[in-house]
Structure formats: structure tokens, C-alpha cells
Amino acid sequence: MPELPEVEVTRRSFGERIHGARVTAVRLGKPLRWPLGCEPHSLVAQSVGEVSRRAKYLWLPLESGGLLMHLGMSGSLAFCDAPGEAGLHDHFDLVTDRGTLRLTDPRRFGAVVWSPSRESGLAAKLLAGLGVEPFDPAFTGAYLHAALRRRRVAVKLALLSGDIVVGAGNIYACEALFAAGIDPRTRSDRVSLRRCELLAAAVRDTLARALALGGSTLRDFRDAHGMAGEFQLEAQVYGRAGQSCRACGTPIRRWVQGQRSTFFCPTCQRR
DNA sequence: AAGTGGACCTGCTAGC
DNA sequence: TGCTAGCAGGTCCACT
């Protein structure tokens, strides 16, 4: 589910309200991707700092360290005053004096992991090796070109790998490649500098547009207030196999790369 | 180092 | 109506 826009929309929807709150209880549901890494009760009475994001991870600072959270494929966070009984898929509650932050994640690919800091423990290991942030000025066409030059995998897979640029998942990688007019099957080392400039701009613009629209709600994404996103209504290719390209009318094609669906317009996107 | 495929887990839908 | 196969927004890990 959540790519960078959804994670950032989520962060913005509860970060300010939880800042300064004090933890009063922690409830765990079924196991997530990794064990919490600390005694849940040890978090009680600690105050919450300013929530930040790196790639698709959120970092919730506490006094003894912090919680690194990931929404996986199906996770979402809600922050509310009276959350009610935990449901079947509610696997983590951080109860505070200002409300409860609840992770709902049916598939349980998500994670909540305690670390002494972002720079140590499991958090450091998970954050190591991540590529540049898409809105970082360092993410330029020249940077992208230099990184892609060393790879032979299809450019779509290079975007998804997360070690060049972070944030674009399956939806936005497809959409950015469409916006840049690049065939997702193109070998990374054959994308010219000129087209890398277009692609870097397309990644940035696509993610920014999605952010402005509150992300994409395909089935169940909601921000911490329960608001759905609207980017999916503007998708040019994602999930549109067989439908006509909004730009040229050619049927959108579906192709499998790295065991995942890629959607593209064979006319608008060229190798 | 880079590339490949499997693993994790649940729910929904299309098709027979 | 009921079963099954296939698909889903991520990314870690082992192996070549």
C-alpha cells in the first residue's frame, strides 16, 4: 500500500498532535515483521518527540530511544481519542495521554521496532543503504544517470530497488516512467542523461502530486484521521491494463518485472 | 557488486 | 453457491 506519499501524508496527519504526548500503555497484537525489541512496558511514561520520515519509514522519538515504524503492504496508522476495542488486524497500540496511535495491518508485513537511536540497533541496519530522498536537491538527473550507468536491470526495477532513490513504489514508479516517456523495460545503463533528467523530474513531480492529493487509496489506505487519498483517480497507467492510454488511446499493457506488475503505454513510452 | 528468486501473511476477486 | 488460482501499495535475505 503505502509508498512515500502515503507515509508522509500519514506523518503529517498525526505528527503534531502526538508531539509532546506521554505514553501510558502499549498493546501488542499478532507478531509483525520483527519483534518490538524491548519490553513494551518500558515505554510507559516516556514522552514522544517530533515524528520524522526516512524513505517509507517513520521514526517516533522517545526518551530511551525511539520507534521505527513501517506500514508494509497493507498497514495504516490511526490516531484517535477513543480507539475502541482492538480488531483482528490491529497489531500495535501506543496509548498516550493525547490519544492512541494504532497500527492496523492485515498482512503484517509492517513493523514497529524499538532502537536506542536511528543510528544504532535494528533501525540503523534497516535505514543503511537507502538511496537519496526524492525531494533532496541531491536527486538530480546527473546523479540518477551516474547510478543507472552501473546497472543492467530494467530501469523500473532500479527505481524500485530503493538504493538509488527512495519513495517510489509500484504505483509511482510506473506513473513516473510514463510521465518521462520511458519504457519500464529499458536497461538502466541505456537511459541517457537527458532522459535521466526527465525521469528525476518525473519522480519528484509524481510524488509531489500524489502528496498534494493525499496519496492513493486503492482499497484501504487512510491517513491518521481516516481520510482517503485521491491520486488513484489520476493514474495514467497503474492498474489500467487493457484500457486506453489517456494521451494516445493505445491500450495500456501489463508486464511482469521482478514478480510484480508493471503498467505502461507502448506508444508513449520508448526504450 | 549486481542480479535473481523465495519468503513473509491475509484478503479479495475472477473464473470455473 | 463454493472452491481455487491469482493478485495486491514492500523489502529482506540467501544464493549465484
Side-chain angles (χ1 to χ4, degrees):
Chain A
M1 163 184 84
E3 304 183 32
L4 183 146
E6 291 75 28
V7 176
E8 179 63 16
V9 163
T10 298
R11 186 189 72 80
R12 292 180 186 179
S13 66
F14 80 94
E16 277 189 31
R17 283 192 297 151
I18 206 172
H19 190 176
R22 200 161 287 276
V23 178
T24 57
V26 175
R27 186 196 62 82
L28 301 181
K30 288 190 192 172
L32 294 163
R33 180 151 194 180
W34 290 285
L36 180 59
C38 72
E39 178 57 42
H41 186 76
S42 69
L43 303 179
V44 171
Q46 296 192 41
S47 67
V48 180
E50 190 170 338
V51 182
S52 59
R53 179 191 57 74
R54 171 75 172 108
K56 298 169 191 167
Y57 289 94
L58 291 177
W59 173 251
L60 233 92
L62 296 169
E63 291 167 53
S64 71
L67 295 173
L68 191 71
M69 314 184 81
H70 197 287
L71 302 180
M73 285 280 264
S74 57
S76 59
L77 285 169
F79 187 68
C80 59
D81 296 335
E85 279 296 287
L88 183 60
H89 300 305
D90 299 331
H91 301 305
F92 179 82
D93 282 350
L94 189 73
V95 187
T96 76
D97 55 4
R98 295 205 195 149
T100 295
L101 184 66
R102 168 170 291 177
L103 174 68
T104 303
D105 184 5
R107 293 178 73 180
R108 291 191 281 130
F109 291 169
V112 180
V113 167
W114 180 86
S115 277
S117 74
R118 263 193 300 196
E119 295 80 26
S120 60
L122 185 49
K125 184 185 167 189
L126 294 173
L127 297 176
L130 288 176
V132 67
E133 287 286 325
F135 301 126
D136 187 319
F139 180 53
T140 62
Y143 164 84
L144 184 57
H145 184 63
L148 291 182
R149 211 164 36 192
R150 280 179 257 117
R151 315 253 178 133
R152 269 150 297 180
V153 285
V155 61
K156 156 91 174 329
L157 294 176
L159 282 185
L160 281 185
S161 71
D163 52 3
I164 296 174
V165 60
V166 298
N170 210 28
I171 299 177
Y172 303 118
C174 289
E175 294 298 319
L177 284 161
F178 174 84
I182 298 170
D183 187 317
R185 302 167 297 182
T186 310
R187 266 177 54 156
S188 295
D189 59 356
R190 304 224 173 125
V191 183
S192 66
L193 173 57
R194 171 68 192 133
R195 303 184 93 202
C196 282
E197 281 164 358
L198 290 174
L199 184 53
V203 167
R204 258 196 317 273
D205 294 349
T206 300
L207 294 174
R209 176 73 182 145
L211 197 47
L213 289 174
S216 294
T217 296
L218 295 192
R219 43 181 66 82
D220 51 15
F221 171 72
R222 291 290 188 279
D223 73 11
H225 299 293
M227 292 292 293
E230 298 190 325
F231 181 89
Q232 72 283 358
L233 302 173
E234 295 200 356
Q236 303 296 306
V237 289
Y238 185 84
R240 301 193 64 240
Q243 300 176 44
S244 40
C245 173
R246 300 192 203 281
C248 77
T250 304
I252 299 300
R253 287 182 60 187
R254 175 179 175 271
W255 189 262
V256 176
Q257 295 181 292
Q259 305 158 177
R260 316 197 59 194
S261 292
T262 293
F263 300 90
F264 69 105
C265 171
T267 300
C268 295
Q269 297 174 255
R270 297 297 185 163
R271 298 203 195 218

